[in-house]
Amino acid sequence: KQEVTQIPAALSVPEGENLVLNCSFTDSAIYNLQWFRQDPGKGLTSLLLIQSSQREQTSGRLNASLDKSSGRSTLYIAASQPGDSATYLCAVRPTNTNAGKSTFGDGTTLTVKP
Amino acid sequence: DAGVTQSPTHLIKTRGQQVTLRCSPKSGHDTVSWYQQALGQGPQFIFQYYEEEERQRGNFPDRFSGHQFPNYSSELNVNALLLGDSALYLCASSFGGQGEETQYFGPGTRLLVL
């Protein structure tokens, strides 16, 4: 059974700092890994999707990396802003299923202080 | 282009009652997945519908059932509500192929069971 862990559960940084969020998974047989952002009481917004054959993906100030062999992914946020404050979730999609049956971590709640 | 929409946004029920939640997928998508997200946790996969049939199911009891209509919209039904069913219910849509599709999430329905 796939298990996804995100540590730390919460992180507080001053504005302008670069930071890294971590996601680890127990079964390396994955199809892809997706990072989401969730604002309080809201749905999920997709940030980046990394296919199992890829090492990293970039979008603006965000960079996500994937190391299947070690069961790890990181989300790097450059020059953090107060608007980046949210919960960040990673989700792993197993190799033998389609997009729906993803396993999520419990998220890291990020607070960026002005 | 409307994204994934869900209704209602909030709902209050009492134990033992039944509830129906609704989801309309993003334009061009034919697959709908439902997730339950308890406070402070990541979403848990309930089931997925494709071509009006349940294609995959997570570890949820039979009290949770669903339906998909010819226009790809979907309903989630929960019978004999328990206090523990209180959660944010998220709908995600995707395209049913085995390609590199990502999931798009709706804003969710917040269910409170008293």
Side-chain angles (χ1 to χ4, degrees), chain B residues 1 9 16 25 34 36 44 49 61 64 69 72 79 93 101 107 112:
Chain B
D1 175 27
T9 56
W34 286 93
Q36 180 194 66
Q44 299 288 319
Y49 277 84
F64 290 77
F69 299 94
Y72 308 122
N79 295 320
S93 76
E101 73 280 11
L112 177 61

Side-chain angles (χ1 to χ4, degrees), chain A residues 1 31-32 34 36 38 41-46 49 51 89 93 95 97-107, chain B residues 33 35 37 40-43 45 48 55-58 88 90 94 97-103 105-108 110:
Chain A
K1 177 187 172 184
Y31 190 83
N32 63 35
Q34 194 166 359
F36 293 89
Q38 185 174 33
K42 305 294 185 181
L44 278 63
T45 300
S46 178
L49 182 147
Q51 298 298 330
L89 297 140
R93 173 179 156 183
T95 299
T97 68
N98 50 40
K101 197 173 182 180
S102 297
T103 301
F104 282 80
D106 288 337
Chain B
S33 302
Y35 290 82
Q37 186 178 25
Q41 298 182 15
F45 176 77
Q48 181 183 82
R55 182 158 66 170
Q56 294 187 77
R57 188 177 184 93
L88 180 67
L90 295 166
S94 58
Q98 286 286 332
E100 301 179 352
E101 73 280 11
T102 187
Q103 294 188 84
F105 281 79
R110 174 75 64 185

Side-chain angles (χ1 to χ4, degrees), chain A residues 6-111:
Chain A
Q6 294 186 246
I7 295 174
L11 182 64
S12 180
V13 301
E15 181 177 4
E17 263 201 15
N18 302 324
L19 60 101
V20 174
L21 306 180
N22 298 295
C23 171
S24 61
F25 46 95
T26 55
D27 187 348
S28 62
I30 67 170
Y31 190 83
N32 63 35
L33 184 146
Q34 194 166 359
W35 281 94
F36 293 89
R37 168 188 172 135
Q38 185 174 33
D39 293 296
K42 305 294 185 181
L44 278 63
T45 300
S46 178
L47 297 174
L48 290 165
L49 182 147
I50 311 176
Q51 298 298 330
S52 62
S53 58
Q54 297 175 323
R55 296 284 293 180
E56 64 179 298
Q57 281 287 333
T58 299
S59 176
R61 295 184 293 109
L62 305 180
N63 176 279
S65 68
L66 175 64
D67 184 342
K68 274 203 325 177
S69 60
S70 65
R72 292 183 179 182
S73 176
T74 62
L75 178 66
Y76 174 83
I77 302 177
S80 59
Q81 303 170 358
D84 294 330
S85 298
T87 297
Y88 291 81
L89 297 140
C90 65
V92 171
R93 173 179 156 183
T95 299
N96 62 344
T97 68
N98 50 40
K101 197 173 182 180
S102 297
T103 301
F104 282 80
D106 288 337
T108 294
T109 299
L110 172 66
T111 302

